[in-house]
Amino acid sequence: MSVNLSKGQKISLDKEAGTTLTRITMGLGWDAAKTKGFLGFGSKTEAVDLDASCVMFDDNKSTSDIVWFRQLKSKDGSIVHTGDNRTGAGDGDDEQINVDLSKVPAHVKSLVFTVNSFTGQNFSQVENAYCRILNASNNQEVARFNLSVQGSHTAQIMAKLYRHNGEWKMHAIGENGNGRTFDDLMPQIAVHL
């Protein structure tokens, strides 16, 4: 059974999954908000290009590697982005990042997941946005975090996975920001390491 996370909430992934997780998938989903036409007629939907990224940090809170639409695989091969969705069309996850937790190098202490609007559209144009963690061995949802806080922000620090006492935990951060890529969020991310 999946847990619905609130902003700031922290959980043990293994405890919520009921097993030791070795491979997870972070799924990002969203829909473009419909705009209303004259007198409610002629509503339309404009594509929104959101991008999921994963930034890997070491013991010293320094960036170890980054997985995003311009680099779909970490240098060590432990994290793989499945590709860029430029519209948000369709049901289910629009972008996914697969993480083999057993292969994440020992010096990597946290993985921070972000979402950015590369085209600069803000979240007032997005609805039904979420991120979720799946147990990749059986595709069971472990945790879900609702990102649909509409506003003028163009980015969000979604969540952090981090090592604590030999296990992986998740922190639902949910901090709004602005920027076209993860790089624009780095000063905000540093606070959460």
Side-chain angles (χ1 to χ4, degrees), residues 29-33 45-51 84-90 94-95 119 121 125-127:
W30 73 93
D31 294 317
T45 303
E46 189 174 315
V48 176
D49 180 13
L50 297 183
D51 296 312
D84 190 14
N85 178 321
R86 295 183 177 159
T87 65
D94 294 303
E95 292 193 10
T119 53
Q121 293 159 303
Q125 297 168 281
V126 175
E127 58 187 27

Side-chain angles (χ1 to χ4, degrees), residues 145-158:
F145 183 44
N146 180 358
L147 306 175
S148 285
V149 178
Q150 294 189 333
S152 61
H153 58 286
T154 60
Q156 189 174 95
I157 303 167
M158 296 186 291

Side-chain angles (χ1 to χ4, degrees), residues 15-91:
K15 186 175 176 183
E16 295 302 329
T19 185
T20 300
L21 292 176
T22 56
R23 294 180 307 116
I24 61 109
T25 297
M26 189 289 298
L28 169 65
W30 73 93
D31 294 317
K34 289 183 174 72
T35 58
K36 294 180 180 167
F38 182 68
L39 297 175
F41 296 102
S43 67
K44 63 179 181 173
T45 303
E46 189 174 315
V48 176
D49 180 13
L50 297 183
D51 296 312
S53 302
C54 178
V55 186
M56 304 167 74
F57 291 95
D58 64 18
D59 284 332
N60 300 319
K61 301 179 182 179
S62 297
T63 305
S64 174
D65 202 356
I66 301 154
V67 175
W68 61 312
F69 71 89
R70 289 190 178 153
Q71 179 183 314
L72 296 176
K73 188 175 186 180
S74 61
K75 294 174 189 120
D76 58 51
S78 65
I79 301 176
V80 178
H81 194 303
T82 60
D84 190 14
N85 178 321
R86 295 183 177 159
T87 65
D91 293 330

